[in-house]
Amino acid sequence: MSPMQPQTQEISIADLRGEVRGEVIEPEDPIYDEARQVFFKGFDRRPLAVVRVAGAEDVARVVSAAREGGLELAVRSGSHSRGGYGTTDGGIVLDLSGMKALEIDADDGTAWVETGINAGEYTLATGEHGLVTGLGDAGSVGLGGITLAGGVGFLARKNGLTMDDLLAAEVVTADGEVVTASEQTEPDLFWAIRGGEGNCGVATRFQLRLHEISEIVGGMLILPATPEVITGFLEAAGAAPDELSTIANVTLAPPMPFIPEEAHGEPILMGVMAYVGPVEEGEAVIAPFRALAKPYADMVRPMSYPELYEGPEQEARFASGTNFFSDSLEPAHAEAILEHLPKSTAMMKAVQLRVLGGALGRVPNDATAFAHRDRRLFANIAAMYTDPGEKEAHDAWVAGVADALGRDGAGGYVGFMGEEDEETIQAAYPGGTWDRLRELKRRYDPDNLFRLNHNIPPAQPT
Ligand SMILES: Cc1cc2nc3c(=O)[nH]c(=O)nc-3n(C[C@H](O)[C@H](O)[C@H](O)COP(=O)(O)OP(=O)(O)OC[C@H]3O[C@@H](n4cnc5c(N)ncnc54)[C@H](O)[C@@H]3O)c2cc1C
């Protein structure tokens, strides 16, 4: 259920259609059923209209229309939010997914890009110039959502989070004003959007730093998962130079052709590796991982950076998940993962472990609204399933695994969260982050127009 019920319609969608350059899709349109979908299943909502905006002026018009009409507003770029925040019952969907314009300044090493492009499209286009910005592990995720949440990905240790490469953003605020947020102009807003998601405005364009990266040593290493292999992998990842970022998925082997048949259904560690630097050095850095056990499959090789995004897109399903930051994973925790995996009846379940540190960890905790810089490890537990009636069982499974792994309640990463209660969202913004975000929310969105998100309630006037 949406947190707010739809309110009285006071705006004319026909008028809106005449006022925007983009497409306004209403229930009677043949593409309505497709247009109202988001990536995850379980959000069968019926908006009054989906507006596929074509620029900042369109965004400003839709924001103003929703505000003036008292309508619930859902903002989406890639629609991958697990909370289903990209759709609404009876409100307006502001869909940025048609806004993909990209201008690369190769000499300057920067790009201006509209936020509706996805991670794969962006990386492929910049990669043609041997330039990239680090994003997450899925090409279909929207640039808008991942950058505003943080962006923990293939270059996290080398270059930091995606938002650490954000130099400026064009933002439409709740009053419909188009502003540029950067360290120089609107620095408070710039702070808030880096980790505070869409709470203070709709980002229409980003200026992102590009890094000269063409060839990497990367790809997937699949090892039999034992407690020693899991802890050994994380130790090796922590000891490796910043040039290497890894993502370890511990799961039960799916019946994929590149995994030997005798391993199907057995616990495996699928480690995605990305080493930025000379091939020989990369091979040496990856050698300790290969030595942990005889790999079931070793697909790590010199490749172009954008190749990391090749392969089949994830299929949309119902999803349960939880995540948390930690500093270490003890052998008993690794054993617990292996005990819990076979207990889940989900078609796909995994414990994903990402060793942090490096450039990500060198940014002060209070420099942005992502205040987990000092943590060493990130764990994301997920179960994908096809029968919505099983939700409770899968929610319980992911929570049980997190508890068994020693989750300490210190908060998680909003990017991977579903719809959460205020306590969980507050815990994701530790230290003074929550209070500062609440103050800025009061300044930029006092009436909480942008509330379909991991919501920051505006601070009360004192
Ligand atoms: C398969 C998969 C893999 C993932 N892998 C990673 C990963 O490796 N690393 C990582 O950090 N995260 C990862 N994520 C999490 C992902 O970054 C977040 O779910 C992100 O919010 C999705 O962005 P989106 O634009 O696709 O989603 P949307 O549903 O469109 O948006 C997500 C949230 O951001 C808001 N929003 C979106 N665009 C804008 C905008 N332009 N202006 C203002 N607000 C906006 C929305 O209102 C919503 O609250 C993954 C998610 C999935 C489903």
Side-chain angles (χ1 to χ4, degrees):
M1 278 291 293
S2 309
M4 299 284 287
Q5 292 302 315
Q7 300 177 9
T8 330
Q9 179 194 345
E10 293 169 20
I11 63 159
S12 151
I13 297 299
D15 286 353
L16 193 58
R17 198 189 290 271
E19 289 166 7
V20 295
R21 281 193 294 134
E23 200 179 359
V24 179
I25 302 159
E26 291 179 82
E28 56 276 17
D29 282 311
I31 54 168
Y32 175 77
D33 272 333
E34 179 240 307
R36 69 189 176 93
Q37 303 301 326
V38 289
F39 175 77
F40 284 111
K41 293 201 182 299
F43 303 100
D44 187 22
R45 295 178 187 157
R46 301 190 66 82
L48 187 65
V50 176
V51 187
R52 290 182 173 161
V53 287
E57 304 75 26
D58 279 7
V59 173
R61 185 65 204 101
V62 174
V63 164
S64 298
R67 190 191 61 246
E68 288 156 13
L71 288 167
E72 189 171 71
L73 179 66
V75 177
R76 62 158 84 146
S77 289
S79 298
H80 276 50
S81 133
R82 204 167 50 74
Y85 294 133
T87 188
T88 154
D89 261 330
I92 300 188
V93 173
L94 193 170
D95 183 346
L96 293 130
S97 65
M99 288 178 50
K100 295 178 190 283
L102 168 62
E103 281 168 47
I104 297 168
D105 185 337
D107 295 334
D108 197 33
T110 59
W112 270 105
V113 58
E114 288 183 330
T115 50
I117 200 166
N118 72 32
E121 293 163 342
Y122 175 79
T123 305
L124 203 62
T126 63
E128 278 178 18
H129 302 258
L131 297 168
V132 296
T133 307
L135 290 154
D137 65 357
S140 55
V141 163
L143 185 73
I146 191 167
T147 308
L148 300 174
V152 191
F154 295 133
L155 299 176
R157 285 164 53 89
K158 171 85 176 121
N159 295 330
L161 300 171
T162 305
M163 67 181 198
D164 295 333
D165 280 327
L166 186 64
L167 302 169
E170 181 182 79
V171 180
V172 178
T173 55
D175 53 9
E177 206 189 325
V178 184
V179 300
T180 301
S182 70
E183 293 290 3
Q184 292 75 36
T185 56
E186 300 280 354
D188 285 337
L189 180 61
F190 190 51
W191 178 90
I193 62 168
R194 286 176 296 161
E197 299 189 297
N199 267 286
C200 289
V202 181
T204 47
R205 293 199 306 150
F206 292 143
Q207 187 188 31
L208 287 163
R209 189 182 292 117
L210 291 162
H211 301 268
E212 274 183 42
I213 296 173
S214 45
E215 203 177 51
I216 62 160
V217 181
M220 198 185 287
L221 179 67
I222 304 183
L223 300 166
T226 62
E228 295 73 28
V229 166
I230 298 170
T231 51
F233 189 99
L234 300 181
E235 270 165 36
D242 295 353
E243 281 69 22
L244 181 73
S245 297
T246 59
I247 301 176
N249 288 294
V250 185
T251 184
L252 300 182
M256 303 292 270
F258 51 85
I259 301 176
E261 221 175 295
E262 65 273 19
H264 293 177
E266 296 296 318
I268 55 167
L269 185 156
M270 302 170 92
V272 185
M273 330 288 283
Y275 179 85
V276 182
V279 172
E280 266 173 37
E281 285 174 23
E283 295 290 350
V285 168
I286 287 163
F289 296 88
R290 289 179 161 135
L292 287 168
K294 184 166 180 284
Y296 282 137
D298 185 348
M299 295 173 275
V300 181
R301 59 183 170 81
M303 59 165 64
S304 77
Y305 182 83
E307 275 184 81
L308 281 171
Y309 288 99
E310 285 179 2
E313 289 291 350
Q314 282 220 19
E315 233 181 283
R317 313 222 182 265
F318 297 91
S320 294
T322 191
N323 75 77
F324 64 99
F325 291 92
S326 164
D327 292 315
S328 63
L329 188 105
E330 304 301 326
H333 297 143
E335 277 168 29
I337 296 176
L338 300 178
E339 272 165 33
H340 278 78
L341 279 174
K343 291 185 190 158
S344 166
T345 57
M347 57 175 305
M348 201 291 288
K349 55 264 180 182
V351 175
Q352 186 176 82
L353 303 163
R354 304 182 188 213
V355 170
L356 307 176
L360 181 162
R362 285 193 287 273
V363 177
N365 255 341
D366 60 0
T368 66
F370 177 98
H372 307 278
R373 306 287 186 162
D374 48 344
R375 304 313 295 267
R376 301 294 301 167
L377 185 69
F378 172 68
N380 183 41
I381 301 144
M384 307 283 178
Y385 54 98
T386 50
D387 177 357
E390 295 175 359
K391 179 179 180 333
E392 219 173 293
H394 299 303
D395 284 352
W397 182 82
V398 296
V401 179
D403 290 342
L405 297 189
R407 169 168 62 177
D408 61 9
Y413 169 48
V414 286
F416 280 107
M417 284 182 185
E419 194 176 352
E420 309 288 351
D421 57 24
E422 188 174 313
E423 197 187 344
T424 307
I425 298 166
Q426 181 170 354
Y429 295 109
T433 315
W434 175 254
D435 287 343
R436 186 169 174 199
L437 276 173
R438 287 199 61 189
E439 282 300 333
L440 293 173
K441 178 76 172 176
R442 179 170 61 168
R443 190 156 126 203
Y444 287 100
D445 183 18
D447 298 325
N448 208 0
L449 176 66
F450 305 121
R451 59 182 174 265
L452 272 185
N453 47 31
H454 299 114
N455 197 234
I456 311 287
Q460 295 302 313
T462 45

